[in-house]
Amino acid sequence: MSRLESFSSIYQRACERKGGSAGLESLLSASLSTDEISQYRDAELLSEMSKKVFQSGFVWRIVENKWPAYEAAFFNFDPHKVLMLSPEQLQQRASDPELIRHMKKTMAIYDNALMTHDIAKEHGSLAEYIAKWPGEEITTLWSVLKRRGTRLGGNTGPYFLRAIGKDTFLLTGDVQGYLKTHKLIDFGFGSKSGLNQVQAVFNHWQQESGRSLADISKILACSVGDNRV
């Protein structure tokens, strides 16, 4: 691994590209506190998780427009009610023209309801489980979602966490490009060793800057690539 660039240098470069510190700061969004995240109902988390599964590789706007129909079809994503659906009922929903015709993603709703139910049995609620997870080990939570859930690998799990306000960085194309160009990772981004290296880099910048992982991720992305305003 190469020597880390100081985060202050990254921040300054991002400011120059985004019209100054005010312009850059306007692009950032706050994460929620542990207490705020723990207040979610698990049905809300299953809904957002399922939405991110459907949005992966699809037009996000179309998924958003159809989501009220999904809420109705899946009992507002109450995990216990979703788990009562028979294979035939899931097949019907996967072929419903009011929804999105995708059997595997529809089945993921059921599988992730089961994960939500199991984690709630173990930890009180999925919301509590996620809320208390330490940021300095956030990639391990990504791995848990991927291993225990369905279709939550890659950036889908992290995007879900970001959507509910859990502080996490994202491995966007710009972020991955920076890390590879600066030789800060020796393994693949999907490997445990690679994620451990990325986590160590972000932990270092967080200790240096005092900023959230989400802020660091966004500022880093704004400092490189083609995302000029």
Side-chain angles (χ1 to χ4, degrees), residues 210-229:
R211 287 183 171 270
S212 67
L213 297 172
D215 280 1
I216 293 168
S217 178
K218 184 70 173 183
I219 292 167
L220 178 63
C222 288
S223 76
V224 295
D226 299 321
N227 52 66
R228 294 177 180 273
V229 171

Side-chain angles (χ1 to χ4, degrees), residues 43 70-78 81-82 85 89 93:
Y70 272 93
E71 293 281 356
F74 287 92
F75 314 108
N76 294 314
F77 289 93
D78 181 314
K81 293 181 180 178
V82 171
L85 290 169
Q89 289 173 316
R93 285 158 173 77

Side-chain angles (χ1 to χ4, degrees), residues 39-73:
Q39 297 303 310
Y40 279 116
R41 293 179 294 108
D42 282 349
E44 295 176 292
L45 298 188
L46 180 60
S47 175
E48 191 60 49
M49 186 189 307
S50 302
K51 184 188 295 183
K52 289 295 172 281
V53 168
F54 275 91
Q55 287 176 329
S56 178
F58 203 72
V59 179
W60 284 39
R61 176 179 50 80
I62 293 176
V63 177
E64 285 283 358
N65 290 341
K66 286 184 175 288
W67 213 246
Y70 272 93
E71 293 281 356

